[in-house]
Amino acid sequence: MFKWIKNIGPGTLVAAAFIGPGTVTVCTKAGVQFGYSLLWAMLLSIIATIVLQEMAARTGIITQKGLAEVIKGQIKSPLLRNLAIFLILGAIVIGNAAYEAGNISGASLGMRVFGETNAILYPMMIGMIAFLLLFIGNYKVLERSLVALVLIMSISFLITAILTKPDIIAILKGTFTPTIPKDNMLIIIGLIGTTVVPYNLFLHASLVKEKWKTKEDLTTARKDTMISIILGGIVSMAIIIAATATTGGDINNAFDLAKGLEPLYGEYAKYLLGLGLFAAGITSAITAPLAAAYVAKSCFGWKGTLKDNRFRAVWAIILILGVVFSSLKLNPVEIITFAQVANGLLLPIVAIFLVWIVNKANVLGEFKNTLFQNILAICIILITLILGIKGIISVF
């Protein structure tokens, strides 16, 4: 256990990336509307995330390259290669710029529990914290900071869930007995879609090669991936469980949930949820620009470190846009629409590319996929195809 804590890292950053304000909102709605009955969907999404992230991490460690760089190197047709690069850059870089405002706004909502202020102050503070951690350009400092924030977020949401004195039998039933109540398909898709995130595959492949350099590290990386993502799943489930305890009221996000729980469980629940939402928002506000910068670096073949000016320029632009959009309450509808369509296309395409790559002996050698891993991967690809199609249809 202590050895794992010493080696904790990239997996926790991936968990930090997928538990953002969007995840908190979807989990809150799932709990408020359907109680414990959709916990199985979160369990399914965690299994899918572990399988895909393990493949991405394995690719990063064995090849010592970013995922976009590996994909680019394996596509021989210039037209298809350029199309893949355009789609990856569009979905990840432009998409993360669009969603960054939501990450910063989510962290600001969490801070509002501790006191109201003008609309610009909290986004500016969050933007400055994210900027300083990214500008330092030291992987270990960034990793430790995000791990600390993830632990704060985890403890906050878990204690809140425990405070509501949940029904353990009902939780077990909801987790291991899949049911699809009427009119909840969109929430199920939302729960899976907010956890199985395309940019995390690129982020993970890039992060593992910052920390680990040899094939002997693969076992450690797998443990890190599995434990961190399971922890992330438990946190998401804790939000659903806490939301189940509320009755009545218009509850759409964790800030509303905090106000909804206060009459029943006191202001401790309010402050715990506020702290959790702040941590969820700020971790995603850091990892989204970081992922976009790694993708740009991988696509364009930049060889510099985290302190490379081109690398810094990518995350800085995304961070600044996020602060501006969240401060001015602007809603970049066209950009978000493009991002949703691009991500809807990208998730199944990247999953297919990833499975193709991890089956190539010339890329991974003895570490290519086993038959069992391929069976799991094909099932997940089918799920991502449904999610992708549904995401595109929802835009139009």
Side-chain angles (χ1 to χ4, degrees), residues 64-74 209 298-299 301 303:
Q64 286 295 296
K65 293 177 181 176
L67 187 56
E69 190 179 352
V70 176
I71 290 172
K72 189 171 69 172
Q74 292 302 308
K209 69 186 182 67
S298 194
C299 283
K303 299 298 182 187

Side-chain angles (χ1 to χ4, degrees), residues 270-342:
K270 179 181 79 171
Y271 291 130
L272 281 166
L273 274 170
L275 191 61
L277 183 57
F278 163 74
I282 198 166
T283 50
S284 292
I286 294 166
T287 52
L290 182 66
Y294 270 125
V295 166
K297 179 183 178 182
S298 194
C299 283
F300 295 120
W302 300 338
K303 299 298 182 187
T305 64
L306 298 181
K307 296 181 180 180
D308 184 276
N309 288 334
R310 296 165 298 184
F311 188 88
R312 282 175 167 169
V314 176
W315 62 250
I317 289 167
I318 289 170
L319 192 55
I320 291 166
L321 286 173
V323 171
V324 170
F325 284 138
S326 59
S327 299
L328 301 179
K329 303 295 181 184
L330 297 175
N331 185 15
V333 178
E334 288 81 9
I335 299 176
I336 288 173
T337 300
F338 169 80
Q340 285 175 327
V341 173

Side-chain angles (χ1 to χ4, degrees), residues 21 29 38 45 68 92 125-126 177 187 193 202 271 282 285 288 315 326 336 358 365:
K29 287 183 175 180
L38 294 184
S45 65
I92 307 298
M125 286 172 59
I126 291 155
T177 310
I187 290 286
F202 294 92
Y271 291 130
I282 198 166
W315 62 250
S326 59
I336 288 173
V358 293

Side-chain angles (χ1 to χ4, degrees), residues 190-323:
L191 287 171
I192 298 171
T194 196
T195 309
V196 187
V197 185
Y199 87 70
N200 271 347
L201 298 171
F202 294 92
L203 179 64
H204 206 175
S206 295
L207 290 175
V208 291
K209 69 186 182 67
E210 295 279 351
K211 190 174 182 74
W212 295 301
K213 303 296 180 185
T214 67
K215 62 185 181 181
E216 284 75 25
D217 295 318
L218 202 53
T219 302
T220 305
R222 281 174 172 150
K223 286 178 184 174
D224 173 57
T225 300
M226 187 173 291
I227 295 170
S228 299
I229 293 171
I230 288 171
L231 175 63
I234 291 169
V235 170
S236 297
M237 287 178 168
I239 299 166
I240 296 173
I241 290 163
T244 300
T246 61
T247 54
D250 184 20
I251 296 172
N252 294 305
N253 54 50
F255 185 69
D256 295 335
L257 178 57
K259 291 189 292 185
L261 288 175
E262 189 176 7
L264 291 171
Y265 306 103
E267 58 182 24
Y268 290 115
K270 179 181 79 171
Y271 291 130
L272 281 166
L273 274 170
L275 191 61
L277 183 57
F278 163 74
I282 198 166
T283 50
S284 292
I286 294 166
T287 52
L290 182 66
Y294 270 125
V295 166
K297 179 183 178 182
S298 194
C299 283
F300 295 120
W302 300 338
K303 299 298 182 187
T305 64
L306 298 181
K307 296 181 180 180
D308 184 276
N309 288 334
R310 296 165 298 184
F311 188 88
R312 282 175 167 169
V314 176
W315 62 250
I317 289 167
I318 289 170
L319 192 55
I320 291 166
L321 286 173
V323 171

Side-chain angles (χ1 to χ4, degrees), residues 114-168:
F114 299 92
E116 296 284 349
T117 185
N118 66 66
I120 297 175
L121 181 61
Y122 285 154
M124 288 290 290
M125 286 172 59
I126 291 155
M128 284 301 298
I129 293 168
F131 185 91
L132 286 171
L133 284 173
L134 289 166
F135 190 79
I136 289 169
N138 184 307
Y139 174 75
K140 279 193 174 181
V141 171
L142 188 62
E143 180 185 86
R144 294 303 172 202
S145 302
L146 284 167
V147 166
L149 285 166
V150 168
L151 288 174
I152 290 168
M153 173 177 65
S154 304
I155 292 165
S156 299
F157 286 129
L158 286 169
I159 292 176
T160 305
I162 292 165
L163 281 176
T164 63
K165 297 177 182 175
D167 183 338
I168 302 299

